[in-house]
Amino acid sequence: MNQAGSPAPDAATLAALIRRVATARDKQAFAALFKHFAPRVKSFLRRAGMESGAAEEVAQEVMILLWRKAEHFDPSRAGAATWVFAIARNARIDHARRAKGLPPQPEPEPEAAPSAETLTLAAEQAARLRGAIAELGPEQKQIVQLFFFSDTPHAAIASALDLPLGTVKSRIRLAMAKLRSSLGEVP
Amino acid sequence: MILHHPSPETLLAYAAGSLPAGQSLVVAAHAEGCPHCRAEIARLEAVGGEMLEDMPPESLALDAFTDTLARLDQPAPRSPALPRQADLRLPAGTLPRILASAEISRWLWVAPGVRYSRVRLPWAPKDNVMLLRVAANKRVLAHSHGGAEFTQVLHGDFHDETDRYAAGDLIEEDEHTNHQPHAGNQGCLCLASLDGGLRLPWLTRLIRRSA
Ligand SMILES: [Zn+2]
C-alpha cells in the first residue's frame, strides 16, 4: 500500500495525525494513519507467527482501537509508532486468548500525568533510537528482534538459536546498554 | 529504596508481550512503584515502536480500509463485570492497581503465621498467582521451586540465606533456588507468580510438612 512513491510520514507528522483523530474525528487523518500503520502492523503480526487472514483481521482491529483510543495518545509520553506498537502487542495477546475462549485483560486506568522519566521519551528521541538500533551488531539485533516478534520465552529463543541461555541474556543486556546510552541515559 | 528489580531480559519480554500473564502481572505491580523500571519499559516499548516502523509494509486486501471505516463507529465492547474480590482487610492502597481486574479469594491458612489468597486472572485462569502473608518473624519452611517464581514485596520485608527484600522489591527465582524466607518485624505481604499450573507445588508441600 505504500508503493505510491510518497515518502513515509515522519514521527511528528504521525503524532499530529493521531491528534487530529482525537480532537476532530478526522477521517482523512485516519486514512493517512491506516495507510502508514496497517501494512506494518500486519507485517509485524505475520512475523509473530500469525497467518495472513488473522494478521489482516487483527491489523484492522488495531486501527479501530487507534480510532477509539486516540484521545489517550500523549505525544510527550511516547511517539506515535511506540503507541501503536503497544496497541498491536496487546491486540496480538488478546487474539491468542480469544482463540482459547478467554476474555481480554482489561486495561489499567491510564496514569494521571506523565512522569518526569517518561517525558524524556518524547517523539524527537525516536530518531536517536533508530540510529542506535541500526548500529547494533547483527547478533544483538537478531536477539532483540526475536524478543519482539515471537511470544516465546527466552529459553525457547536460546534453544532455537542453539545458544546457551547465558549467552542470550548477556547479548540482551549488551544491546540494552547500548540503546540506553544512545538515549543519554546512564547505563 | 528499591534494590531488586526484574532482570533486563524479563523487562524486555514484558515490553514485547511475551511474558506469561502471571509473571507479567507481578512485573506490572513492580513497575507501579518503580520509576526506574517504568522508564526502562517505556524505552523498550520505544524500541518496539522502531521495530514496527522498520517492518516491510505488507498490503491488506483492497477493501480492508473501507471495511475498517464502516466499523469505526460501532460501539466499543462492554467492559467485563467486576471480578469477585474478598475483603482481605488490608489498608487502602496496599494492593497494586493492576489487581483491580483479578479475582481475589479470602485468606486461606497454610501454616501457623502463613496465609495465602488465590489470585485468579480471568484472562489466564491457569496461571498460578497468589498473595502471601507471613506474620512478623515467622519463617516459611524451606522449599524449592518447580519452576520460575516472581515475588513482589508489597509490605514489610523478609530475608533468606542470600539477601534482604523490602517493600517495592521484585525477586526472580528459577527452579534451582532452594530457600527459606524469614519475615521481618512487620511481617510481610507479597504478590507471587509461580510456574506450574494450579498445583501450588510448594504450598502443598508446606501443608503436608506442617500437618
Ligand atoms: Zn524496578
Side-chain angles (χ1 to χ4, degrees), chain A residues 1 36 39-40 42-43 46 56 60 82 89 92 97 103 121 130 147-149 169 172-173 176 180 185, chain B residues 9 12 15-16 40 42-46 50 53 55-56 58-59 61 65 67-68 71 122-123 125:
Chain A
M1 261 182 106
H36 181 76
R40 286 175 171 78
K42 182 180 174 190
S43 179
R46 296 272 288 134
E56 179 128 352
Q60 289 188 41
T82 301
R89 170 197 65 193
R92 170 165 73 86
R97 287 185 180 144
L121 263 177
R130 171 164 288 211
F147 259 85
F148 277 104
F149 298 148
K169 289 186 180 180
I172 287 291
R173 288 172 193 218
M176 289 306 136
R180 220 175 285 141
E185 308 283 333
Chain B
E9 55 279 5
L12 177 54
E40 179 69 7
R43 267 194 293 279
L44 292 166
E45 288 180 336
E50 285 310 305
E53 279 293 292
M55 286 283 115
E58 198 172 314
S59 300
F65 178 64
D67 183 46
T68 305
R71 291 161 60 196
W123 56 93

Side-chain angles (χ1 to χ4, degrees), chain A residues 10-163:
Chain A
D10 64 14
T13 307
L14 292 169
L17 289 168
I18 298 174
R19 292 296 301 146
R20 265 165 58 198
V21 168
T23 55
R25 308 270 89 188
D26 181 334
K27 287 193 173 160
Q28 263 182 321
F30 181 75
L33 289 164
F34 190 97
K35 184 178 175 213
H36 181 76
F37 280 121
R40 286 175 171 78
V41 169
K42 182 180 174 190
S43 179
F44 163 72
L45 295 168
R46 296 272 288 134
R47 301 250 170 142
M50 226 179 251
E51 51 91 16
S52 183
E56 179 128 352
E57 174 57 31
V58 176
Q60 289 188 41
E61 261 170 45
V62 168
M63 296 312 296
I64 293 169
L65 288 167
L66 180 153
W67 175 264
R68 285 198 193 128
K69 291 167 181 274
E71 63 209 74
H72 299 300
F73 171 65
D74 178 351
S76 68
R77 202 195 293 259
T82 301
W83 186 69
V84 175
F85 161 74
I87 294 176
R89 170 197 65 193
N90 296 348
R92 170 165 73 86
I93 297 172
D94 286 346
H95 175 81
R97 287 185 180 144
R98 199 159 57 222
K100 294 184 203 160
L102 296 171
Q105 176 174 6
E107 302 240 346
E109 334 118 56
E111 283 171 65
S115 56
E117 320 82 54
T118 50
L119 275 177
T120 59
L121 263 177
E124 77 265 15
Q125 288 210 332
R128 265 202 277 172
L129 192 56
R130 171 164 288 211
I133 291 171
E135 279 168 31
L136 285 180
E139 292 175 337
Q140 288 168 359
K141 192 171 176 184
Q142 180 195 35
I143 295 239
V144 175
Q145 280 177 334
L146 275 172
F147 259 85
F148 277 104
F149 298 148
S150 66
D151 51 5
T152 38
H154 17 299
I157 290 175
S159 66
L161 295 176
D162 203 15
L163 288 171

Side-chain angles (χ1 to χ4, degrees), chain B residues 3-104:
Chain B
L3 294 176
H4 299 273
H5 304 275
S7 66
E9 55 279 5
T10 292
L11 287 175
L12 177 54
Y14 174 82
S18 57
L19 214 53
Q23 295 180 2
S24 175
L25 182 95
V26 179
V27 171
H30 174 83
E32 280 183 25
C34 183
H36 170 84
C37 286
R38 278 205 304 277
E40 179 69 7
I41 291 163
R43 267 194 293 279
L44 292 166
E45 288 180 336
V47 175
E50 285 310 305
M51 297 277 165
L52 179 65
E53 279 293 292
D54 266 357
M55 286 283 115
E58 198 172 314
S59 300
L60 279 78
L62 284 175
D63 58 356
F65 178 64
T66 44
D67 183 46
T68 305
L69 265 189
R71 291 161 60 196
L72 282 186
D73 294 314
Q74 286 175 3
R78 277 187 303 143
S79 40
L82 283 178
R84 285 186 306 256
Q85 297 200 334
D87 179 6
L88 298 182
R89 276 174 241 125
L90 297 167
T94 307
L95 293 183
R97 284 181 295 136
I98 191 79
L99 281 181
S101 39
E103 290 174 18
I104 299 179

